[in-house]
Amino acid sequence: MLLFSCFILISCSFSFCLSLNRSLTHTLFNFFFYFFSFNSFPTLFLLFRTLSYSESQSHRNTASEQLDASLLAGIQVIVPNMSDKCMSYPTVCSEYFRFVSFACEGYPERMMTLGENVSNGILATIRFGIAHHDNIVVRQALRAVQEMSEHCAKANGLVIARGARVLPPGTTPSPVGSSVLQDWLRLLVELMLKESRHVSDILSDGAGALLTLIICEHPTLLQLAQSVAETHPHESTRENVAEAFRALIGSNGVRCDKIDRMNRRLFQKNLMTFVETMRGLGVN
């Protein structure tokens, strides 16, 4: 009965948000988040579910500026303040990552520009999600990574894809240069090399996200390859490590300007070979 009452309260109050200005909406989200954080953790998942449902409705409604503003206000309150204690509740954790993945899909540009607190919160969220024991949470975290990195790749003219920016002839696109994307790239490579329990389960999802991150931040991959190689004392091992990194994006016809399904499949094969090679070399 309590959960049902809370759901009605959240739903009605969220609808009320649409008639408020942005400042009052932000204040209302602050109240709900902190009230439920300290009084009823299980009820938090109802808030996230309501936000996720409203996010999906926003995509169907072309006149949704007020709804968008309310959702973004919710993001600014929730993302920086999610704690490990909140995440310890499976339903809260699952709905939170569902909400974040929807938000990254619907508002990738704004998620990158909502301020340092949100950026740091998203970075911490993805770190937590990718290392989670629940593969559903891992996939939702990877989905968020892929949505935001694809947006950046298209916006910077790094890929040939529908909706991508077209650069003038003869212009060489520059890397995105985002510290968030760079950190995610390092994190995913580390995951592939160290977390054996996840690799086989998330390889398909992880390959798409990793490919797009490499396209966005290719210099970071080169730096990472150099730093990994330099940790080994034997020159032959260093050369093999460097070759494995080169083959990751240079074998099987993988292109660094496409993110379609075929290119992702080719890259997935390269990634499996890369992981097997690196582990064979004792790199972790």
Side-chain angles (χ1 to χ4, degrees):
M1 184 65 183
L2 177 60
L3 289 178
F4 178 75
S5 299
C6 288
F7 178 74
I8 296 298
L9 176 62
I10 291 171
S11 299
C12 293
S13 298
F14 191 85
S15 299
F16 179 62
C17 280
L18 300 183
S19 64
L20 301 177
N21 62 35
R22 188 175 181 82
S23 177
L24 289 177
T25 300
H26 196 277
T27 301
L28 185 60
F29 270 115
N30 264 304
F31 166 77
F32 275 122
F33 184 79
Y34 289 111
F35 176 81
F36 291 134
S37 292
F38 288 103
N39 293 279
S40 180
F41 282 106
T43 312
L44 272 174
F45 93 94
L46 291 175
L47 176 61
F48 297 139
R49 178 166 291 181
T50 302
L51 287 168
S52 296
Y53 172 77
S54 300
E55 205 312 15
S56 64
Q57 291 298 105
S58 172
H59 284 180
R60 300 174 190 173
N61 182 5
T62 55
S64 59
E65 290 184 5
Q66 288 179 307
L67 181 56
D68 289 346
S70 296
L71 288 165
L72 292 169
I75 289 167
Q76 288 179 294
V77 171
I78 292 169
V79 170
N81 293 293
M82 278 301 290
S83 65
D84 291 345
K85 188 175 182 181
C86 291
M87 295 287 203
S88 67
Y89 288 82
T91 50
V92 172
C93 184
S94 178
E95 288 298 329
Y96 172 67
F97 274 94
R98 181 168 175 260
F99 164 60
V100 168
S101 65
F102 274 142
C104 290
E105 179 181 2
Y107 312 99
E109 182 176 7
R110 298 187 191 183
M111 291 292 283
M112 299 289 287
T113 58
L114 282 177
E116 185 177 353
N117 287 339
V118 174
S119 296
N120 291 339
I122 287 291
L123 181 58
T125 288
I126 298 303
R127 282 184 175 276
F128 181 92
I130 288 177
H132 201 271
H133 65 273
D134 186 340
N135 285 340
I136 293 177
V137 171
V138 175
R139 289 190 176 99
Q140 288 170 333
L142 289 171
R143 175 187 172 191
V145 170
Q146 185 162 344
E147 291 294 342
M148 293 184 70
S149 55
E150 280 191 10
H151 164 78
C152 292
K154 290 179 179 180
N156 285 269
L158 289 163
V159 292
I160 302 170
R162 182 178 181 181
R165 177 186 175 191
V166 179
L167 299 177
T171 302
T172 301
S174 301
V176 176
S178 164
S179 60
V180 173
L181 297 186
Q182 291 165 5
D183 283 343
W184 285 348
L185 175 55
R186 296 187 190 98
L187 182 63
L188 272 184
V189 172
E190 180 181 345
L191 170 71
M192 296 299 174
L193 296 179
K194 293 185 177 181
E195 296 288 340
S196 58
R197 64 193 176 97
H198 279 312
V199 172
S200 61
D201 294 327
I202 66 167
L203 190 58
S204 177
D205 302 273
L210 183 57
L211 172 62
T212 316
L213 287 171
I214 290 173
I215 291 172
C216 289
E217 304 292 351
H218 188 256
T220 300
L221 181 71
L222 299 179
Q223 294 169 8
L224 185 59
Q226 183 176 354
S227 65
V228 171
E230 288 176 350
T231 61
H232 292 269
H234 301 294
E235 184 174 352
S236 60
T237 303
R238 293 197 296 268
E239 291 175 353
N240 288 332
V241 167
E243 179 57 33
F245 272 97
R246 283 193 292 268
L248 179 60
I249 55 173
S251 298
N252 290 324
V254 170
R255 294 182 56 172
C256 285
D257 63 350
K258 301 196 76 173
I259 51 176
D260 57 30
R261 183 178 299 178
M262 179 61 69
N263 205 44
R264 288 199 300 267
R265 286 179 178 175
L266 294 173
F267 179 77
Q268 183 177 335
K269 294 179 181 179
N270 286 0
L271 181 57
M272 179 61 79
T273 302
F274 171 77
V275 171
E276 292 174 350
T277 300
M278 297 292 273
R279 289 182 177 172
L281 293 169
V283 178
N284 51 42

